[in-house]
Amino acid sequence: MNASNALRAYGATRAVMDPRVQEADVFRRVIGLLRAATEADEGRRARAIADNRRLWLAVESAAAHPANLLPESLRAGLISLGRAVRREMDGAAPDLGFLISVNEQIAAGLTEAA
């Protein structure tokens, strides 16, 4: 199987996956980057935090979107949590353990809901 066929097969598999499983997978990928960054140089640490920031900006944006069908209280909770995560990332020395823990809890919740 060549790389092009492999990519098509992977894309087809992901297309039929439950969206919550896909979302949990994104969180797990960022968790892996954050874990690797705990013992990495500043550049790798900064990239992992930047990826986490993009993830949480997407979560907040999706939660705030008027077409979002989640209950209002859950949407508000996600936005609030996203702001707490961003405040931590904006600090001089973000606590990667805290960021990993929050992401793990969200990934677990998504997996349970799927």
Side-chain angles (χ1 to χ4, degrees):
M1 176 183 272
N2 66 30
S4 178
N5 289 340
L7 286 173
R8 270 196 298 275
Y10 179 72
T13 300
R14 293 196 53 82
V16 297
M17 287 176 65
D18 183 293
R20 291 182 184 190
V21 172
Q22 291 180 31
E23 292 166 355
D25 187 48
V26 173
F27 274 95
R28 283 191 288 277
R29 289 174 192 224
V30 173
I31 290 165
L33 295 172
L34 290 169
R35 281 192 178 128
T38 60
E39 297 181 22
D41 61 47
E42 282 301 311
R44 196 170 193 188
R45 183 179 171 93
R47 282 190 300 276
I49 292 169
D51 286 344
N52 196 57
R53 181 179 313 283
R54 281 190 292 277
L55 171 60
W56 278 97
L57 287 171
V59 169
E60 287 183 65
S61 177
H65 195 279
N68 189 307
L69 299 177
L70 291 174
E72 185 63 35
S73 61
L74 180 55
R75 293 171 60 193
L78 286 170
I79 292 168
S80 178
L81 182 59
R83 289 179 181 159
V85 167
R86 282 194 297 134
R87 276 192 304 274
E88 182 62 37
M89 289 185 291
D90 289 342
D95 181 350
L96 295 184
F98 168 76
L99 300 175
I100 290 167
S101 177
V102 169
N103 288 0
E104 285 175 335
Q105 291 175 42
I106 295 296
L110 287 165
T111 302
E112 290 172 9

